Amino acid sequence: MRESTKVVRSTLTPAVAGREMQLGPVFAAPYHVPGDPAGVPYTYARAHNPTWTELERVLGEMESDGSFEAKVVVFASGMAAIAAVFGAVLRPGDAIVMPSNSYYTARVLLREYFVQMGIVVRVLDAEAELEKLLEGARLLFLETPSNPTMEVSDIAAMSEAAHRAGVLVAVDNTTPTPLGQRPLMLGADLSVASDTKSLSGHGDILLGHVAVKDAALLAKIDQWRTLTGGILGPMEAWLALRSIPTLPLRLEKSCANALAIAEFLGTRSEVEKVMYPGLPTHPGYAVARRQMRYFGAVVSFVLRDQEAAEAFLSKAELLTDATSFGGVVTTAERRAKWGGDAVAPGFIRLSAGCEDVEDLIADMAQALDGLPRALDGLR
Ligand code: PLP
């Protein structure tokens, strides 16, 4: 059976006559626990909840590849999932190796909290430095493709190098989702994601998860969630379950739109650079083709300066100016307005939605055509 068929059908309950076809959310804080709690699956909802269990089963199937069964722990947001990886794995004196282009908030969390508690961050700027930085480290934390610059890391090769050095590997898999790329299958020990983006895809919830193969690692991540208590509600878990069967449809359409948009932008003289791993001209294209099923919905590109980017975004009627990505609606933003990422003032991160791509391209063409001449010295 193809992956997309499995995902579409993944939330169905067993075909028992009269039974509901999908589970609904379970709202409960305490559960009945008469006598000895040992072996009782649900006792108090900070630890476990049946709606999470269902979501974890569905995500686990997506993260697995047949040769192993991934186990998943769901969190209230992508950052809660990333914090769990850092908190469960790193101890004072440990070193984490992390590319300089990793998600900004994860870098700030390390710098402002974990470094203060004795964790050492080794910043990876070029793959050639990897072996040296891995020496004596505890964790390699990758993000591929990286947000927002869309750089691609070779998960299999880097995991092999890390394991040779006795280092665990975590991959932030937010942009592709586990349907688009399976880090555990490629050799990583932990796959972590913000499911706020394409996985849930409607811009209505925050959600994250961590997937692992190893039972000891699973227990640590699970314990971190119970002890820290920043859990997601059953309604959010259920909304995610409601969204997952349409993931193949949404991902296929938004990724096809992203590629068409990237190709279009490459034909325009106003655009200085286009970053999309699905373009054969992208430096990471060969690796992306090998390790990804879908190249993702995010296309980044650079206009000449801040004024050009702002004029473009205000003229484009179908590019909703908002942060985040991976929704059914196309969004775009001038990334440098937030600070934190080393990007040019005219850098735009666009997330292709599921609209008709001809409308999107026509809209972008009129917005580029309409850039004031004074700002458009390239023509
Ligand atoms: N990882 C990446 C690559 C992201 O882009 C984001 C959010 O933009 C996160 C993690 C954090 O996710 P959340 O906002 O769900 O906490």
Side-chain angles (χ1 to χ4, degrees), residues 182-307:
R182 279 180 295 188
L184 300 182
M185 188 193 88
L186 293 159
D189 303 286
L190 302 110
S191 170
V192 52
S194 165
D195 302 318
T196 309
K197 318 295 182 196
S198 296
L199 188 114
S200 60
H202 292 76
D204 49 9
I205 54 168
L206 269 83
L207 177 69
H209 80 269
V210 179
V212 293
K213 295 186 234 177
D214 180 72
L217 214 43
L218 174 78
K220 278 188 180 176
I221 301 281
D222 189 75
Q223 186 197 36
W224 174 271
R225 180 179 63 187
T226 304
L227 296 181
T228 56
I231 54 165
L232 77 156
M235 190 64 187
E236 283 73 21
W238 178 77
L239 279 168
L241 284 164
R242 177 90 158 61
S243 302
I244 285 174
T246 60
L247 174 63
L249 208 61
R250 290 185 282 105
L251 205 57
E252 199 158 307
K253 177 73 173 161
S254 59
C255 295
N257 283 0
L259 179 62
I261 289 168
E263 285 168 347
F264 160 74
L265 291 169
T267 66
R268 295 293 301 219
S269 60
E270 302 87 346
V271 178
E272 297 188 350
K273 187 177 179 192
V274 184
M275 289 146 272
Y276 185 65
L279 284 179
T281 48
H282 186 284
Y285 177 69
V287 174
R289 268 200 70 148
R290 210 165 51 234
Q291 68 186 18
M292 300 180 82
R293 277 205 214 102
Y294 293 96
F295 295 118
V298 180
V299 181
S300 292
F301 58 101
V302 180
L303 297 180
R304 203 182 58 227
D305 54 21
Q306 175 174 344
E307 280 171 301

Side-chain angles (χ1 to χ4, degrees), residues 77-80 82 103 143 147 172 174-175 193-197 206-208 324-325 349:
S77 67
M79 275 315 300
I82 290 173
Y103 178 56
E143 180 187 316
N147 166 29
D172 183 330
T174 296
T175 313
S194 165
D195 302 318
T196 309
K197 318 295 182 196
L206 269 83
L207 177 69
S324 198
F325 56 86
R349 186 186 69 187

Side-chain angles (χ1 to χ4, degrees), residues 44-280:
Y44 184 62
R46 179 160 33 76
H48 295 111
N49 164 290
T51 320
W52 301 350
T53 306
E54 178 66 356
L55 180 57
E56 288 165 346
R57 178 188 69 73
V58 167
L59 290 170
E61 281 176 12
M62 246 190 277
E63 295 272 11
S64 304
D65 87 334
S67 68
F68 65 89
E69 202 180 306
K71 296 284 180 208
V72 167
V73 183
V74 290
F75 287 89
S77 67
M79 275 315 300
I82 290 173
V85 172
F86 295 162
V89 171
L90 299 171
R91 293 293 170 268
D94 283 350
I96 172 171
V97 179
M98 197 167 178
S100 51
N101 59 18
S102 306
Y103 178 56
Y104 173 65
T105 314
R107 282 186 277 127
V108 175
L109 174 65
L110 278 173
R111 190 178 70 220
E112 306 268 323
Y113 287 89
F114 285 86
V115 167
Q116 314 294 324
M117 293 187 284
I119 310 297
V120 177
V121 179
R122 298 181 186 165
V123 178
L124 178 68
D125 279 317
E127 231 168 288
E129 296 164 4
L130 180 65
E131 300 236 346
K132 199 176 80 208
L133 294 183
L134 285 172
E135 251 172 62
R138 171 81 178 131
L139 180 67
L140 169 65
F141 194 91
L142 302 174
E143 180 187 316
T144 181
S146 62
N147 166 29
T149 49
M150 295 290 109
E151 280 148 277
V152 172
S153 303
D154 187 331
I155 298 173
M158 292 173 87
S159 297
E160 235 181 272
H163 290 156
R164 270 201 306 276
V167 177
L168 285 173
V169 180
V171 176
D172 183 330
N173 197 41
T174 296
T175 313
T177 81
L179 183 60
Q181 174 173 273
R182 279 180 295 188
L184 300 182
M185 188 193 88
L186 293 159
D189 303 286
L190 302 110
S191 170
V192 52
S194 165
D195 302 318
T196 309
K197 318 295 182 196
S198 296
L199 188 114
S200 60
H202 292 76
D204 49 9
I205 54 168
L206 269 83
L207 177 69
H209 80 269
V210 179
V212 293
K213 295 186 234 177
D214 180 72
L217 214 43
L218 174 78
K220 278 188 180 176
I221 301 281
D222 189 75
Q223 186 197 36
W224 174 271
R225 180 179 63 187
T226 304
L227 296 181
T228 56
I231 54 165
L232 77 156
M235 190 64 187
E236 283 73 21
W238 178 77
L239 279 168
L241 284 164
R242 177 90 158 61
S243 302
I244 285 174
T246 60
L247 174 63
L249 208 61
R250 290 185 282 105
L251 205 57
E252 199 158 307
K253 177 73 173 161
S254 59
C255 295
N257 283 0
L259 179 62
I261 289 168
E263 285 168 347
F264 160 74
L265 291 169
T267 66
R268 295 293 301 219
S269 60
E270 302 87 346
V271 178
E272 297 188 350
K273 187 177 179 192
V274 184
M275 289 146 272
Y276 185 65
L279 284 179

